[in-house]
Amino acid sequence: MPMMRRTFATALLTMFCVGSAPGVHASEADAGREERWQQIADYIFEDREVVPTDSLIKIDAPKRAQDAALVPITLTMPEKDKIKSVYLVIDENPIPLAAHVTFGPGADAGALHLRVRVDTYTNIHAVAETTEGKLFSNAVFVKASGGCSAPSGPSDAEAMKGMGEMRMKFAEKVQQGKSAEATLMIRHPNFSGMQMNQLTRLYTPPRYVERVTVSQGDRTVMEVTGDISLSTNPAIGFSFVPADQAPIRVVASDNKGGQWEESFDVPLATN
């Protein structure tokens, strides 16, 4: 699969980038973006039909990013009980599939918050996979530039300090059986392979968080598969439904074989 992703990325880098082409008529640009999305969708989902929707999944993203390397994205799934997983696709990024999040029995699939890199003007697609295996997509257009090549820190060594350290913030005290919000933060440079080391003038090899599993007790909350489009020090906001007093357990790994594990006590509300 990594080789397939890299081959796909190489092919996409050679394609015409309508989002940044000057003088292109709006209708032509829109048609080009739609054609590109169809190519990406065919690659990711093969022969599965992806149906546009305004109701099953919604995207909240800035129209113009303040920081292209740190773009906040919120996905909302109003009919959360129908949702099995979501895909986040940044069409014009070198590797468009930014994340695939699969919800487990311990999840509340109503909302998801991510921070991503956006490399150029682009459509961002969110695709909801239902429990019946059907795919529905929504899209927004975001103006940004240079997010994938922006440095992760003053130096590679500085960016890698404390790699794998995790923190978790809970929005409030947790009540048994009621949905609770949490934010997972992972210290990791998430090198994209497009960043130049300012000392050596060489490109830093890609090293990014590839998989994150969140569970409580014997129940999976979510599994996240990521790539270079997740921001430096990825942050993932999610909701879960606690069934007991077991801690939240997180296992994270990157594409270079790094693996880290951490447990977080759940702050329970007292009656």
Side-chain angles (χ1 to χ4, degrees):
M1 183 63 180
M3 181 61 70
M4 291 176 63
R5 282 203 298 262
R6 303 303 157 220
T7 303
F8 183 46
T10 302
L12 288 179
L13 282 169
T14 64
M15 291 171 60
F16 179 65
C17 181
V18 297
S20 58
V24 176
H25 192 276
S27 61
E28 294 176 1
D30 289 343
R33 294 188 188 103
E34 179 59 26
E35 181 181 0
R36 187 177 184 88
W37 163 241
Q38 290 302 323
Q39 291 173 336
I40 294 169
D42 288 346
Y43 181 85
I44 296 173
F45 304 111
E46 297 180 338
D47 57 351
R48 300 173 68 187
E49 182 182 15
V50 183
V51 180
T53 182
D54 290 324
S55 59
L56 276 180
I57 189 163
K58 302 176 184 292
I59 312 172
D60 183 15
K63 293 182 178 179
R64 183 181 294 274
Q66 292 185 351
D67 184 345
L70 201 68
V71 181
I73 303 289
T74 297
L75 306 181
T76 306
M77 287 67 71
E79 299 180 60
K80 58 188 179 182
D81 292 338
K82 295 182 179 180
I83 306 302
K84 175 184 177 182
S85 75
V86 295
Y87 297 79
L88 181 64
V89 180
I90 306 172
D91 293 15
E92 299 291 345
N93 272 13
I95 299 179
L97 181 56
H100 177 211
V101 181
T102 303
F103 299 104
D108 176 339
L112 189 69
H113 309 276
L114 299 165
R115 299 188 308 200
V116 299
R117 296 179 170 121
V118 178
D119 205 47
T120 189
Y121 287 20
T122 184
N123 279 338
I124 294 180
H125 280 84
V127 179
E129 181 183 23
T130 68
T131 54
E132 297 177 343
K134 296 180 180 180
L135 299 171
F136 297 88
S137 71
N138 204 342
V140 297
F141 184 71
V142 173
K143 296 179 179 180
S145 181
C148 291
S149 57
S152 298
S155 68
D156 292 354
E158 190 69 26
M160 294 176 71
K161 281 186 178 179
M163 188 165 60
E165 293 178 358
M166 302 184 210
R167 290 189 296 155
M168 186 170 291
K169 293 173 60 178
F170 296 89
E172 57 188 0
K173 297 291 185 179
V174 175
Q175 298 185 22
Q176 293 289 338
K178 293 187 177 181
S179 179
E181 297 180 6
T183 301
L184 169 66
M185 293 156 283
I186 305 173
R187 187 163 180 79
H188 197 288
N190 241 48
F191 292 131
S192 67
M194 299 173 61
Q195 296 137 327
M196 180 179 288
N197 185 303
Q198 296 304 305
L199 295 177
T200 66
R201 309 302 293 173
L202 299 174
Y203 287 100
T204 302
R207 181 165 188 174
Y208 53 88
V209 174
E210 192 171 41
R211 186 173 297 276
V212 179
T213 301
V214 180
S215 59
Q216 186 190 29
D218 59 357
R219 300 197 311 162
T220 299
V221 176
M222 64 178 181
E223 294 182 350
V224 182
T225 302
D227 215 297
I228 66 168
S229 292
L230 291 182
S231 70
T232 295
N233 301 327
I236 306 169
F238 63 97
S239 297
F240 68 102
V241 181
D244 52 36
Q245 300 182 17
I248 297 287
R249 179 173 174 262
V250 181
V251 178
S253 59
D254 68 17
N255 67 312
K256 294 296 185 181
Q259 183 163 317
W260 305 273
E261 183 176 334
E262 189 64 78
S263 292
F264 302 91
D265 291 330
V266 176
L268 297 175
T270 56
N271 295 328

